[in-house]
Amino acid sequence: MSIDSATVPARDFLRPLRYLWRVPLLVLHALLAIALAIFVMSWNRDRVMQNGREPFSHRLIRWWSIGLMRIFGLRSVRFGQPKADPVMFVANHTSWIDIELLHSQRAACFVAKAEIAHWPLVGWLAASGGTIFHRRGNNHSLSAVMQTMVERLQAGRSVAVFPEGGTGHHGVLKVFHARIFQAGLDAQVPVQPVALRFARHGRRVIDAGFREEENFLQNFLRLLGSAPMDAEVHFLEPVPASADGRRKMAELARERIGAALEDRAA
């Protein structure tokens, strides 16, 4: 496999220059986010897709996410087609940017760790977009999250989850937790795997997400100054509801995502 782990020279002389223009743009974009979030919450938050057409609030979320990613030097590229709402998306997890990456293609309610709710700006935006927060290791929290997922799906909203239960490092795809797939079965909606992949010059970049021992702020600043790259969203074939249960669905979803992450230039 051809994997670009270094991605840029050890001395990236353009990094300071990128901060000079990206930081002011980020501030302006954050102010725009506040206005859009107020609009979505006050008027159009709970609208759902009708006959395959997105409500205006969902398009606003997509446009804002695309703009944010461009500020970070990320060009959102879609492969395949997302199923029409409601659908349960299951994706691999690299960092906080994954939510915006998927939102650049389809607005959905995410299931995310409760700590994100306290992150500057990102937490508020996540809550405004309908994120379902989960306290890891808390069975009562998971039961409540599963119930909320089913309710959102049955109401016509799509839900997106990271079945690894945490971020992977060095391009490693961790085991998928099968229990979360039960929500798709209970709501009787399609379960569509989504592979999130970063690339530069056709080669996969494995360190765009969280590095080991790297916190949110460190990753945020590193990405903000990084050289441009493609942020790919691969919508894959939905996994069929299995008579053998959710474990087989989890394994098949992981297999399809893993195949899509492989470097095509290898």
Side-chain angles (χ1 to χ4, degrees):
M1 181 190 304
S2 175
I3 295 179
D4 187 1
S5 57
T7 70
V8 292
R11 295 292 300 274
D12 183 5
F13 295 103
L14 293 179
R15 178 176 287 271
L17 295 178
R18 296 189 193 103
Y19 286 124
L20 282 178
W21 68 269
R22 287 180 180 178
V23 169
L25 283 177
L26 182 61
V27 172
L28 291 175
H29 205 65
L31 293 176
L32 177 61
I34 295 173
L36 292 180
I38 292 173
F39 169 79
V40 169
M41 288 188 296
S42 63
W43 180 70
N44 213 354
R45 177 175 179 175
D46 295 323
R47 298 289 180 91
V48 297
M49 184 178 288
Q50 299 289 340
N51 300 320
R53 293 179 58 85
E54 289 180 293
F56 184 58
S57 59
H58 291 197
R59 294 198 296 272
L60 284 179
I61 291 172
R62 286 200 299 105
W63 295 337
W64 188 88
S65 297
I66 291 172
L68 178 68
M69 294 179 62
R70 293 299 293 178
I71 292 172
F72 277 80
L74 298 171
R75 184 174 72 100
S76 181
V77 183
R78 183 176 71 191
F79 295 84
Q81 292 292 332
K83 301 288 288 184
D85 292 343
V87 56
M88 178 174 160
F89 297 113
V90 293
N92 58 302
H93 197 16
T94 64
S95 81
W96 63 274
I97 199 69
D98 297 339
I99 293 177
E100 300 306 328
L101 177 51
L102 206 153
H103 266 166
S104 72
Q105 300 298 331
R106 170 63 64 80
C109 302
F110 274 83
V111 176
K113 62 182 181 180
E115 291 85 347
I116 290 178
H118 305 291
W119 288 358
L121 184 61
V122 173
W124 182 74
L125 288 173
S128 301
T131 297
I132 306 167
F133 294 109
H134 168 51
R135 295 189 301 276
R136 291 177 180 171
N138 186 314
N139 288 332
H140 176 72
S141 173
L142 180 58
S143 297
V145 165
M146 295 280 286
Q147 180 178 349
T148 302
M149 289 174 61
V150 173
E151 291 172 353
R152 297 275 179 91
L153 290 166
Q154 290 178 337
R157 287 296 310 271
S158 287
V159 173
V161 299
F162 302 116
E164 292 172 275
T167 54
H169 304 294
H170 305 300
V172 174
L173 191 62
K174 300 195 295 185
V175 173
F176 281 13
H177 296 286
R179 183 178 176 184
I180 201 76
F181 285 76
Q182 189 64 45
L185 291 172
D186 291 345
Q188 298 182 354
V189 299
V191 177
Q192 185 171 25
V194 183
L196 306 179
R197 183 180 185 273
F198 299 89
R200 186 180 288 122
H201 307 306
R203 302 178 66 198
R204 184 183 175 196
V205 178
I206 63 173
D207 69 344
F210 283 121
R211 294 172 176 171
E212 292 186 66
E213 307 303 326
E214 185 178 52
N215 61 33
F216 164 73
L217 183 59
Q218 290 170 329
N219 181 263
F220 185 94
L221 293 176
R222 179 166 61 85
L223 282 183
L224 187 59
S226 294
M229 61 180 137
D230 290 336
E232 302 174 354
V233 186
H234 297 255
F235 290 99
L236 309 173
E237 191 69 23
V239 294
S242 173
D244 296 328
R246 57 201 188 195
R247 169 53 57 189
K248 186 172 182 179
M249 295 175 67
E251 292 173 350
L252 182 57
R254 183 179 182 276
E255 177 183 323
R256 290 181 178 176
I257 290 174
L261 293 176
E262 292 293 321
D263 201 311
R264 293 180 298 278

